[in-house]
Amino acid sequence: VQLQACGGGLVQPGGSLRLSCAASGSIFSINAMGWSRQAPGKQRELVASITSGSSTNYADSVQGRFTISRDNGKNTVYLQMNSLKPEDTAVYYCYAGMQGRSWDPVRSYWGQGTLVTVSS
């Protein structure tokens, strides 16, 4: 089981980016999914999360600008980022709580990270 994130890049302040993260492998179920980020010299912080029932939660710093969603048929989570600011610059990591088989415990899996740079 693995997560593959993509969609990062360089964008000007005020611009938008959409990150996606797909889970692959032998997957029985996926519970919560989400995104965290780590800026240079700072601790990793939770950005947004979404439950299997599509309830969402956001960090105060991104509320109203970022939108998390998921496509359960594609085992994919998305992060639509609008009105980007230089302080959003960070490596973004996706995560998911997943079971590989029905008898497995739920484990947390992390993607490899994708760099988002907001700069003029």
Side-chain angles (χ1 to χ4, degrees), residues 89-113:
T89 295
V91 177
Y92 284 71
Y93 299 90
C94 60
Y95 70 87
M98 297 188 285
Q99 285 177 286
R101 296 164 296 184
S102 60
W103 56 89
D104 286 336
V106 176
R107 292 189 176 95
S108 294
Y109 293 85
W110 290 85
Q112 83 284 8

Side-chain angles (χ1 to χ4, degrees), residues 37-90:
R37 67 185 180 186
Q38 187 164 20
K42 295 187 177 181
Q43 289 187 330
R44 189 177 295 194
E45 64 169 341
L46 175 66
V47 174
S49 62
I50 184 167
T51 68
S52 57
S54 295
S55 295
T56 59
N57 189 51
Y58 297 94
D60 290 342
S61 58
V62 306
Q63 182 76 45
R65 300 188 297 121
F66 290 10
T67 301
I68 189 170
S69 61
R70 63 191 285 171
D71 184 331
N72 292 329
K74 295 181 178 180
N75 292 336
T76 299
V77 62
Y78 305 96
L79 186 67
Q80 177 66 43
M81 305 184 294
N82 299 328
S83 302
L84 283 161
K85 305 175 181 180
E87 50 264 41
D88 294 318
T89 295

